Amino acid sequence: MTAATATTAETFRPALHYAARNTWLNDPNGLIFHDGVYHLYYQNNPLGNVWGNMSWGHATSTDLLTWTEHPVAIACDENEDIFSGSIVHDRHNTSGFGTGSVGPLVAVYTSAFKAGSGHEGVQAQSLAYSLDGGYTWTKHGDNPVLNRGSAEFRDPKVIRYDGGAGSYWVMVAVEATDFQVVLYKSEDLKNWELLSTFGPANATGGVWECPDLFQLPVDGDPENLTWVLTVNLNPGGPNNGSAGQYFLGDFEGTTFTSATTVTEGLQDPDRLGDYRWLDWGRDYYAAVSFSDAPEGRRLMIGWMNNWDYANHIPTTPWRSPMSLAREISLQTRDGDLCLVQQPAGDWTALAGPDPYCLTATTINDGVQVLAGAEGTVQRIDVTFTPGSAAEFGLILRGDGATGTRVGIRPGESTLFVDRRESGITDFHDSFPSIDTAPLRATSGSYHLTIFVDRCSLEVFAQDGLVTMTELIFPAETSTSLAAYATGGTATINSLQVTQLA
């Protein structure tokens, strides 16, 4: 994909992130690695660029960096919209959908039933299967397979549990307006038995959606595993609107028990900052992980938008990108077990020649444009040491002093993104924002890795301990990169700007 002139509709089309060619997308669905290919399915309106006609779009990649769009995989019809869900490789054909020695791929999705369907107003879980590696799908003739008679029961993530309690399929889904994760088990993906529920807990400022459940080794030790439950919610994020939270704990085959619950029941509004957030930015939602990722890696993608303004962002004919794929790990930082995220993929494959570099540079009070560091699609790696300045950082995709500020206020232990002057901001009242995240120095310094694309930035701070994902819509001519300090000085220990193609 090539950059466009400032007057064309493609100005903001991302170079590093997946976006559909000319339609709407939202939640990633059915993420799976199969036969050497990463499959990204997603909520898609094949008929327009605002939400509606929900079906599963489809894209594939072999490297998590470049994606190929395919025809709609599972389409809505007169009876149902196809809401979010997941895909498993049914290797042993427990479902009976396979033929011969071929284990089918089975999609477990939410049927949002329409008037005249016989289940009007109900959300229930249904199946489709693929015998050609995920490119064509057949809906199960006896859908739905799990119906609670609920209008808000959705987003099934199915995993294979193998543990002390046995070996079987486990589904985590949500009763969205009850702020509750519901867990079921099955031997054949068709018949489901209730195991337990989890929640409400921690953030409950909006409906719960798109849960995920998986194990991760602690500090890379395969003998020391902890379960992670992620739950997205809308609204109710730490900086308003859509967001995702996570819990650490144990799952013994029946019940998830959290070790990181701060508030049982409904949230304490004064403790939002104490909850564990997948991302502190405004534009990382519905994040779920890949099934069967190679080498046991846990890879996650989120929808890079926010329901506050999702239908209004100034892109056409496409609307909404996905985040970069992230590798998730559990690490002990300052005595606390934390989810750490790093961008996945071999970024050297996209790197242009001769990165811009600085070392041991003092930032004086004011703005210093970094001549030679300009660009529209970049990876920025920077380490700061605070000095006397109350605030310091970078101004991205700018025109000197105007642009998107990524700053640090050491006295407040805060990282922030200020997009009030980031370009086009007037398409929705809630878009211009200053979004903050807690961030402390490590050995006296701050390290940020920032991926800048034509309509976004993703910040990975302190080697992925804190992330912030934000949409921006700058003019194509806004390409400068500047450093700044307020009320004193700070030091750039090192800065490397790599142009990405």
Side-chain angles (χ1 to χ4, degrees), residues 75-82 109-122 139 143:
C76 64
D77 58 28
E78 67 277 7
N79 291 315
E80 62 176 358
D81 280 322
I82 312 298
Y109 67 88
T110 297
S111 294
F113 286 106
K114 299 178 180 178
S117 64
H119 300 288
E120 179 178 351
V122 167
K139 292 179 182 178
N143 283 336

PDB file of all heavy atoms in Angstrom, residues 75-82 109-122 139 143:
ATOM      1  N   ALA A  75     -21.163 -15.358   6.411  1.00  0.00           N
ATOM      2  CA  ALA A  75     -22.003 -14.200   6.101  1.00  0.00           C
ATOM      3  C   ALA A  75     -23.281 -14.206   6.928  1.00  0.00           C
ATOM      4  O   ALA A  75     -23.844 -15.260   7.237  1.00  0.00           O
ATOM      5  CB  ALA A  75     -22.352 -14.191   4.615  1.00  0.00           C
ATOM      6  N   CYS A  76     -23.747 -13.004   7.266  1.00  0.00           N
ATOM      7  CA  CYS A  76     -25.069 -12.866   7.864  1.00  0.00           C
ATOM      8  C   CYS A  76     -26.123 -13.295   6.849  1.00  0.00           C
ATOM      9  O   CYS A  76     -25.869 -13.346   5.645  1.00  0.00           O
ATOM     10  CB  CYS A  76     -25.303 -11.436   8.324  1.00  0.00           C
ATOM     11  SG  CYS A  76     -25.335 -10.213   6.990  1.00  0.00           S
ATOM     12  N   ASP A  77     -27.317 -13.600   7.346  1.00  0.00           N
ATOM     13  CA  ASP A  77     -28.416 -13.946   6.450  1.00  0.00           C
ATOM     14  C   ASP A  77     -29.715 -13.405   7.033  1.00  0.00           C
ATOM     15  O   ASP A  77     -29.693 -12.586   7.965  1.00  0.00           O
ATOM     16  CB  ASP A  77     -28.479 -15.465   6.197  1.00  0.00           C
ATOM     17  CG  ASP A  77     -28.630 -16.282   7.477  1.00  0.00           C
ATOM     18  OD1 ASP A  77     -29.205 -15.768   8.473  1.00  0.00           O
ATOM     19  OD2 ASP A  77     -28.190 -17.450   7.504  1.00  0.00           O
ATOM     20  N   GLU A  78     -30.846 -13.873   6.514  1.00  0.00           N
ATOM     21  CA  GLU A  78     -32.132 -13.333   6.950  1.00  0.00           C
ATOM     22  C   GLU A  78     -32.469 -13.720   8.383  1.00  0.00           C
ATOM     23  O   GLU A  78     -33.333 -13.104   9.012  1.00  0.00           O
ATOM     24  CB  GLU A  78     -33.255 -13.803   6.007  1.00  0.00           C
ATOM     25  CG  GLU A  78     -33.549 -15.292   6.050  1.00  0.00           C
ATOM     26  CD  GLU A  78     -32.610 -16.104   5.173  1.00  0.00           C
ATOM     27  OE1 GLU A  78     -31.640 -15.536   4.615  1.00  0.00           O
ATOM     28  OE2 GLU A  78     -32.848 -17.321   5.032  1.00  0.00           O
ATOM     29  N   ASN A  79     -31.765 -14.723   8.940  1.00  0.00           N
ATOM     30  CA  ASN A  79     -32.065 -15.191  10.293  1.00  0.00           C
ATOM     31  C   ASN A  79     -31.125 -14.643  11.355  1.00  0.00           C
ATOM     32  O   ASN A  79     -31.523 -14.512  12.508  1.00  0.00           O
ATOM     33  CB  ASN A  79     -32.020 -16.725  10.343  1.00  0.00           C
ATOM     34  CG  ASN A  79     -33.149 -17.368   9.581  1.00  0.00           C
ATOM     35  OD1 ASN A  79     -34.292 -16.947   9.698  1.00  0.00           O
ATOM     36  ND2 ASN A  79     -32.823 -18.380   8.781  1.00  0.00           N
ATOM     37  N   GLU A  80     -29.871 -14.361  10.988  1.00  0.00           N
ATOM     38  CA  GLU A  80     -28.887 -14.036  12.024  1.00  0.00           C
ATOM     39  C   GLU A  80     -27.814 -13.102  11.498  1.00  0.00           C
ATOM     40  O   GLU A  80     -27.438 -13.144  10.328  1.00  0.00           O
ATOM     41  CB  GLU A  80     -28.226 -15.313  12.539  1.00  0.00           C
ATOM     42  CG  GLU A  80     -27.449 -16.080  11.481  1.00  0.00           C
ATOM     43  CD  GLU A  80     -26.723 -17.303  12.016  1.00  0.00           C
ATOM     44  OE1 GLU A  80     -26.779 -17.554  13.233  1.00  0.00           O
ATOM     45  OE2 GLU A  80     -26.085 -18.007  11.205  1.00  0.00           O
ATOM     46  N   ASP A  81     -27.315 -12.268  12.418  1.00  0.00           N
ATOM     47  CA  ASP A  81     -26.029 -11.619  12.245  1.00  0.00           C
ATOM     48  C   ASP A  81     -24.983 -12.507  12.904  1.00  0.00           C
ATOM     49  O   ASP A  81     -25.266 -13.207  13.897  1.00  0.00           O
ATOM     50  CB  ASP A  81     -26.024 -10.230  12.883  1.00  0.00           C
ATOM     51  CG  ASP A  81     -26.702  -9.182  12.009  1.00  0.00           C
ATOM     52  OD1 ASP A  81     -26.528  -9.243  10.777  1.00  0.00           O
ATOM     53  OD2 ASP A  81     -27.408  -8.317  12.558  1.00  0.00           O
ATOM     54  N   ILE A  82     -23.768 -12.454  12.369  1.00  0.00           N
ATOM     55  CA  ILE A  82     -22.680 -13.297  12.860  1.00  0.00           C
ATOM     56  C   ILE A  82     -21.806 -12.438  13.765  1.00  0.00           C
ATOM     57  O   ILE A  82     -20.977 -11.654  13.294  1.00  0.00           O
ATOM     58  CB  ILE A  82     -21.854 -13.878  11.700  1.00  0.00           C
ATOM     59  CG1 ILE A  82     -22.759 -14.473  10.620  1.00  0.00           C
ATOM     60  CG2 ILE A  82     -20.864 -14.901  12.226  1.00  0.00           C
ATOM     61  CD1 ILE A  82     -23.623 -15.615  11.073  1.00  0.00           C
ATOM     62  N   TYR A 109     -19.365 -19.200  17.127  1.00  0.00           N
ATOM     63  CA  TYR A 109     -19.689 -17.782  17.009  1.00  0.00           C
ATOM     64  C   TYR A 109     -21.045 -17.495  17.640  1.00  0.00           C
ATOM     65  O   TYR A 109     -21.842 -18.406  17.891  1.00  0.00           O
ATOM     66  CB  TYR A 109     -19.682 -17.347  15.537  1.00  0.00           C
ATOM     67  CG  TYR A 109     -20.775 -17.949  14.688  1.00  0.00           C
ATOM     68  CD1 TYR A 109     -22.032 -17.350  14.584  1.00  0.00           C
ATOM     69  CD2 TYR A 109     -20.552 -19.128  13.971  1.00  0.00           C
ATOM     70  CE1 TYR A 109     -23.042 -17.903  13.812  1.00  0.00           C
ATOM     71  CE2 TYR A 109     -21.551 -19.690  13.179  1.00  0.00           C
ATOM     72  CZ  TYR A 109     -22.795 -19.080  13.109  1.00  0.00           C
ATOM     73  OH  TYR A 109     -23.782 -19.631  12.343  1.00  0.00           O
ATOM     74  N   THR A 110     -21.307 -16.226  17.878  1.00  0.00           N
ATOM     75  CA  THR A 110     -22.590 -15.804  18.420  1.00  0.00           C
ATOM     76  C   THR A 110     -23.562 -15.504  17.292  1.00  0.00           C
ATOM     77  O   THR A 110     -23.279 -14.672  16.430  1.00  0.00           O
ATOM     78  CB  THR A 110     -22.431 -14.562  19.310  1.00  0.00           C
ATOM     79  OG1 THR A 110     -21.606 -14.892  20.426  1.00  0.00           O
ATOM     80  CG2 THR A 110     -23.785 -14.069  19.817  1.00  0.00           C
ATOM     81  N   SER A 111     -24.701 -16.202  17.321  1.00  0.00           N
ATOM     82  CA  SER A 111     -25.815 -15.871  16.436  1.00  0.00           C
ATOM     83  C   SER A 111     -26.652 -14.794  17.115  1.00  0.00           C
ATOM     84  O   SER A 111     -27.183 -15.007  18.205  1.00  0.00           O
ATOM     85  CB  SER A 111     -26.693 -17.096  16.184  1.00  0.00           C
ATOM     86  OG  SER A 111     -26.003 -18.083  15.452  1.00  0.00           O
ATOM     87  N   ALA A 112     -26.727 -13.630  16.471  1.00  0.00           N
ATOM     88  CA  ALA A 112     -27.619 -12.569  16.936  1.00  0.00           C
ATOM     89  C   ALA A 112     -28.875 -12.672  16.081  1.00  0.00           C
ATOM     90  O   ALA A 112     -28.901 -12.236  14.923  1.00  0.00           O
ATOM     91  CB  ALA A 112     -26.956 -11.204  16.795  1.00  0.00           C
ATOM     92  N   PHE A 113     -29.895 -13.288  16.639  1.00  0.00           N
ATOM     93  CA  PHE A 113     -31.051 -13.691  15.843  1.00  0.00           C
ATOM     94  C   PHE A 113     -31.963 -12.511  15.538  1.00  0.00           C
ATOM     95  O   PHE A 113     -32.205 -11.646  16.387  1.00  0.00           O
ATOM     96  CB  PHE A 113     -31.821 -14.799  16.553  1.00  0.00           C
ATOM     97  CG  PHE A 113     -31.123 -16.133  16.492  1.00  0.00           C
ATOM     98  CD1 PHE A 113     -30.492 -16.666  17.612  1.00  0.00           C
ATOM     99  CD2 PHE A 113     -31.085 -16.847  15.300  1.00  0.00           C
ATOM    100  CE1 PHE A 113     -29.854 -17.891  17.557  1.00  0.00           C
ATOM    101  CE2 PHE A 113     -30.442 -18.078  15.232  1.00  0.00           C
ATOM    102  CZ  PHE A 113     -29.819 -18.602  16.355  1.00  0.00           C
ATOM    103  N   LYS A 114     -32.502 -12.515  14.311  1.00  0.00           N
ATOM    104  CA  LYS A 114     -33.339 -11.445  13.799  1.00  0.00           C
ATOM    105  C   LYS A 114     -34.820 -11.813  13.912  1.00  0.00           C
ATOM    106  O   LYS A 114     -35.179 -12.965  14.184  1.00  0.00           O
ATOM    107  CB  LYS A 114     -32.986 -11.186  12.330  1.00  0.00           C
ATOM    108  CG  LYS A 114     -31.557 -10.763  12.089  1.00  0.00           C
ATOM    109  CD  LYS A 114     -31.298 -10.590  10.594  1.00  0.00           C
ATOM    110  CE  LYS A 114     -29.876 -10.157  10.301  1.00  0.00           C
ATOM    111  NZ  LYS A 114     -29.628 -10.032   8.841  1.00  0.00           N
ATOM    112  N   ALA A 115     -35.658 -10.834  13.668  1.00  0.00           N
ATOM    113  CA  ALA A 115     -37.099 -11.060  13.638  1.00  0.00           C
ATOM    114  C   ALA A 115     -37.431 -12.126  12.594  1.00  0.00           C
ATOM    115  O   ALA A 115     -36.872 -12.128  11.494  1.00  0.00           O
ATOM    116  CB  ALA A 115     -37.832  -9.767  13.316  1.00  0.00           C
ATOM    117  N   GLY A 116     -38.325 -13.037  12.966  1.00  0.00           N
ATOM    118  CA  GLY A 116     -38.743 -14.093  12.066  1.00  0.00           C
ATOM    119  C   GLY A 116     -37.876 -15.325  12.081  1.00  0.00           C
ATOM    120  O   GLY A 116     -38.157 -16.299  11.377  1.00  0.00           O
ATOM    121  N   SER A 117     -36.820 -15.302  12.890  1.00  0.00           N
ATOM    122  CA  SER A 117     -35.885 -16.428  12.918  1.00  0.00           C
ATOM    123  C   SER A 117     -36.339 -17.564  13.814  1.00  0.00           C
ATOM    124  O   SER A 117     -35.790 -18.663  13.759  1.00  0.00           O
ATOM    125  CB  SER A 117     -34.516 -15.956  13.404  1.00  0.00           C
ATOM    126  OG  SER A 117     -34.609 -15.505  14.754  1.00  0.00           O
ATOM    127  N   GLY A 118     -37.325 -17.304  14.661  1.00  0.00           N
ATOM    128  CA  GLY A 118     -37.704 -18.275  15.680  1.00  0.00           C
ATOM    129  C   GLY A 118     -36.978 -18.064  17.000  1.00  0.00           C
ATOM    130  O   GLY A 118     -37.343 -18.654  18.013  1.00  0.00           O
ATOM    131  N   HIS A 119     -35.922 -17.252  16.985  1.00  0.00           N
ATOM    132  CA  HIS A 119     -35.180 -16.927  18.212  1.00  0.00           C
ATOM    133  C   HIS A 119     -35.018 -15.409  18.329  1.00  0.00           C
ATOM    134  O   HIS A 119     -34.003 -14.928  18.841  1.00  0.00           O
ATOM    135  CB  HIS A 119     -33.800 -17.584  18.207  1.00  0.00           C
ATOM    136  CG  HIS A 119     -33.801 -19.073  18.119  1.00  0.00           C
ATOM    137  ND1 HIS A 119     -34.176 -19.874  19.165  1.00  0.00           N
ATOM    138  CD2 HIS A 119     -33.481 -19.900  17.090  1.00  0.00           C
ATOM    139  CE1 HIS A 119     -34.068 -21.143  18.796  1.00  0.00           C
ATOM    140  NE2 HIS A 119     -33.645 -21.192  17.535  1.00  0.00           N
ATOM    141  N   GLU A 120     -35.966 -14.658  17.871  1.00  0.00           N
ATOM    142  CA  GLU A 120     -35.839 -13.199  17.780  1.00  0.00           C
ATOM    143  C   GLU A 120     -35.372 -12.582  19.095  1.00  0.00           C
ATOM    144  O   GLU A 120     -35.910 -12.888  20.166  1.00  0.00           O
ATOM    145  CB  GLU A 120     -37.179 -12.587  17.380  1.00  0.00           C
ATOM    146  CG  GLU A 120     -37.163 -11.077  17.274  1.00  0.00           C
ATOM    147  CD  GLU A 120     -38.489 -10.501  16.835  1.00  0.00           C
ATOM    148  OE1 GLU A 120     -39.389 -11.280  16.442  1.00  0.00           O
ATOM    149  OE2 GLU A 120     -38.640  -9.267  16.881  1.00  0.00           O
ATOM    150  N   GLY A 121     -34.357 -11.734  18.991  1.00  0.00           N
ATOM    151  CA  GLY A 121     -33.863 -11.018  20.166  1.00  0.00           C
ATOM    152  C   GLY A 121     -32.891 -11.791  21.028  1.00  0.00           C
ATOM    153  O   GLY A 121     -32.390 -11.257  22.014  1.00  0.00           O
ATOM    154  N   VAL A 122     -32.605 -13.036  20.660  1.00  0.00           N
ATOM    155  CA  VAL A 122     -31.720 -13.889  21.459  1.00  0.00           C
ATOM    156  C   VAL A 122     -30.316 -13.878  20.860  1.00  0.00           C
ATOM    157  O   VAL A 122     -30.142 -13.833  19.640  1.00  0.00           O
ATOM    158  CB  VAL A 122     -32.265 -15.332  21.517  1.00  0.00           C
ATOM    159  CG1 VAL A 122     -31.224 -16.315  22.049  1.00  0.00           C
ATOM    160  CG2 VAL A 122     -33.520 -15.380  22.377  1.00  0.00           C
ATOM    161  N   LYS A 139     -22.281 -23.665   7.763  1.00  0.00           N
ATOM    162  CA  LYS A 139     -22.945 -23.553   9.057  1.00  0.00           C
ATOM    163  C   LYS A 139     -23.534 -24.906   9.469  1.00  0.00           C
ATOM    164  O   LYS A 139     -24.077 -25.639   8.640  1.00  0.00           O
ATOM    165  CB  LYS A 139     -24.058 -22.501   9.000  1.00  0.00           C
ATOM    166  CG  LYS A 139     -23.552 -21.084   8.825  1.00  0.00           C
ATOM    167  CD  LYS A 139     -24.704 -20.080   8.759  1.00  0.00           C
ATOM    168  CE  LYS A 139     -24.215 -18.662   8.543  1.00  0.00           C
ATOM    169  NZ  LYS A 139     -25.337 -17.691   8.439  1.00  0.00           N
ATOM    170  N   ASN A 143     -27.831 -25.457  14.514  1.00  0.00           N
ATOM    171  CA  ASN A 143     -27.573 -24.255  15.320  1.00  0.00           C
ATOM    172  C   ASN A 143     -28.870 -23.718  15.902  1.00  0.00           C
ATOM    173  O   ASN A 143     -29.930 -23.897  15.301  1.00  0.00           O
ATOM    174  CB  ASN A 143     -26.924 -23.174  14.442  1.00  0.00           C
ATOM    175  CG  ASN A 143     -25.453 -23.449  14.175  1.00  0.00           C
ATOM    176  OD1 ASN A 143     -24.792 -24.141  14.941  1.00  0.00           O
ATOM    177  ND2 ASN A 143     -24.952 -22.913  13.062  1.00  0.00           N
TER     178      ASN A 143
END
